[in-house]
């Protein structure tokens, strides 16, 4: 029977106080990994770390982490190194979305999103390389999106940042390979996360029934499998890429989208 074992491995996850990041942290902890959660929401990160430690019997710590602040990111890496002596896995789930069309976009909002999604990813990936290259192995998984697979009317600048993350992941994969490091990305499809709910409330304010109906129709119209993805689907993909089962996979962007994109 094939199983994934991460006992005694150390995983840093950004943007993991809630949502997809937290789901992934919980799954890794369930497989035995010790966890460091980095998030701007310090109270949320501390709560998540305590929950994980209590539930899964691993060590878990929280760190304040704005991914655009290299000093804070370095402190997060230092915390992991001080507590565990090594870092095996880095998952960058931090990111935001701006729902504005090209001709209506607020430049400041777009600049902030680019800073978090693109520059933040670069900072995380660069420090992961610095801290793990001497070990001769390590896994980095960046969160992109199926939105990054092509243009978008609704979220064009978000799509641009997610495309950049795929490209950046591939570039780091080329650089990291000679040190035994593997860089990959996951591209989630349609999930009813806080980001999607914010969008639904924006286009259909105050009517949850119509919001749900819109979401269901969007999924049936755009996803060949006609169903949305669950947070566990994405966490499972990240877990796989973090495991020994993926020892020969690097520079890839894995779609988890029910066939919405097939490249």
């Amino acid at each position: 029977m094939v199983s994934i074992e991460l006992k005694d491995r150390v995983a840093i996850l950004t943007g993991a106080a809630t949502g997809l990041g937290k789901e992934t942290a919980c799954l890794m902890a369930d497989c035995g990994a010790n966890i460091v959660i980095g998030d701007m929401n310090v109270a949320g990160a501390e709560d998540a770390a305590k929950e994980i430690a209590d539930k899964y019997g691993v060590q878990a710590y929280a760190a304040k982490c704005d991914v655009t602040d290299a000093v804070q990111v370095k402190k997060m890496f230092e915390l992991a190194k001080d507590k565990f002596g090594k870092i095996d896995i880095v998952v960058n789930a931090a990111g935001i979305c701006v729902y504005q069309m090209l001709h209506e976009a607020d430049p400041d909002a777009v600049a902030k999103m680019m800073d978090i999604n693109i520059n933040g990813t670069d900072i995380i990936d660069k420090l992961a390389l610095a801290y793990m290259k001497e070990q001769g192995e390590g896994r980095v998984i960046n969160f992109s999106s199926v939105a990054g697979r092509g243009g978008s009317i609704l979220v064009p600048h978000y799509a641009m940042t997610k495309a950049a993350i795929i490209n950046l992941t591939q570039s780091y994969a080329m650089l990291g390979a000679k040190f035994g490091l593997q860089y990959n990305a996951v591209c989630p499809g349609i999930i009813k996360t806080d980001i999607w709910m914010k969008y639904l409330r924006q286009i259909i304010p105050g009517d949850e029934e119509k919001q749900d109906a819109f979401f269901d129709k969007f999924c049936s119209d755009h996803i060949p499998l006609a169903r949305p993805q669950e947070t566990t689907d994405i966490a499972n993909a990240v877990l796989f890429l973090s495991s020994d089962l993926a020892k020969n996979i690097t520079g890839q962007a894995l779609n988890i989208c029910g066939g919405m994109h097939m490249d």
Side-chain angles (χ1 to χ4, degrees), residues 186-221:
V186 290
C187 298
I190 306 302
I191 310 167
K192 215 169 191 180
T193 58
D194 290 341
I195 289 178
W196 248 99
M197 290 308 301
K198 180 181 178 182
Y199 172 63
L200 291 173
R201 287 191 292 267
Q202 182 176 315
I203 62 171
I204 311 172
D207 193 326
E208 292 186 11
E209 187 174 332
K210 287 185 178 179
Q211 291 169 6
D212 290 341
F214 178 92
F215 182 81
D216 292 341
K217 187 174 188 309
F218 186 93
C219 291
S220 63
D221 287 349

Side-chain angles (χ1 to χ4, degrees), residues 65-131:
C65 181
D66 173 352
V67 294
T68 67
D69 185 333
V71 174
Q72 284 189 17
V73 174
K74 186 173 183 179
K75 286 181 179 178
M76 177 183 65
F77 275 82
E78 283 293 326
L79 173 65
K81 198 72 181 289
D82 289 345
K83 295 295 184 182
F84 303 110
K86 63 172 185 171
I87 301 164
D88 300 297
I89 302 161
V90 176
V91 178
N92 184 34
I96 62 171
C97 181
V98 173
Y99 291 104
Q100 295 175 338
M101 299 180 74
L102 282 170
H103 60 292
E104 299 171 341
D106 173 18
D108 291 338
V110 171
K112 179 180 178 181
M113 181 174 60
M114 291 175 64
D115 198 22
I116 293 171
N117 293 4
I118 302 175
N119 296 336
T121 298
D122 186 36
I123 289 170
I124 293 290
D125 287 5
K126 190 178 301 179
L127 281 168
L129 178 69
Y131 275 84

Side-chain angles (χ1 to χ4, degrees), residues 27-67:
L27 187 59
M28 288 184 165
D30 196 25
C31 292
N34 295 311
I35 303 294
V36 173
I37 292 177
D39 205 292
M40 291 181 67
N41 176 5
V42 180
E46 290 173 345
D47 288 345
K50 185 178 186 307
E51 178 185 333
I52 287 169
D54 291 346
K55 184 174 182 178
Y56 300 107
V58 299
Q59 296 183 63
Y61 297 92
K64 182 179 181 181
C65 181
D66 173 352
V67 294

Side-chain angles (χ1 to χ4, degrees), residues 132-152:
M132 295 196 294
K133 66 182 182 181
E134 292 182 3
Q135 299 171 180
E137 61 179 355
R139 307 293 174 87
V140 181
I141 299 94
N142 294 318
F143 271 59
S144 181
S145 168
V146 291
R149 294 299 197 180
S152 172

Side-chain angles (χ1 to χ4, degrees), residues 252-263:
Q252 305 304 308
L254 177 60
N255 297 334
I256 310 103
C257 62
M260 189 175 178
H261 287 268
M262 297 188 180
D263 52 350

